Amino acid sequence: ARYYRQLTSEFPNSPWTSEAHRELGEADFAQGRYREALRHLEAASRRLESSSLPLVLHKLAWTYYRLRDTSRAVTTLKEAIRL
């Protein structure tokens, strides 16, 4: 995780930054740090243009759900399904 954090802070315009945010979001979610996961997954979803986007949106929906924002959770999950 240290290298992902370094990548996102030192090279914010790198093409790998969105994947680093995705990995950090996954790690934070797994450890119950939902606010931190939200920040990383939202950053990844804004920049990610690959087949990984539905997976990021799915995890983002679960993050919203864990933070008790069910409306955004449902909207985000529907977007993931549409893709």
Side-chain angles (χ1 to χ4, degrees), residues 21-76:
H21 278 295
R22 184 183 66 78
E23 289 290 337
L24 290 168
E26 291 277 351
D28 285 334
F29 184 93
Q31 294 179 359
R33 295 189 309 246
Y34 303 118
R35 295 233 178 263
E36 292 85 355
L38 179 65
R39 183 173 61 86
H40 289 296
L41 293 169
E42 284 180 337
S45 71
R46 283 192 298 270
R47 299 188 60 184
L48 202 59
E49 297 177 13
S50 72
S51 60
S52 298
L53 185 57
L55 297 173
V56 170
L57 292 175
H58 179 258
K59 186 60 76 169
L60 184 57
W62 273 106
T63 304
Y64 286 132
Y65 176 78
R66 294 289 185 158
L67 292 171
R68 293 178 166 59
D69 189 346
T70 54
S71 176
R72 287 182 83 179
V74 169
T75 301
T76 305

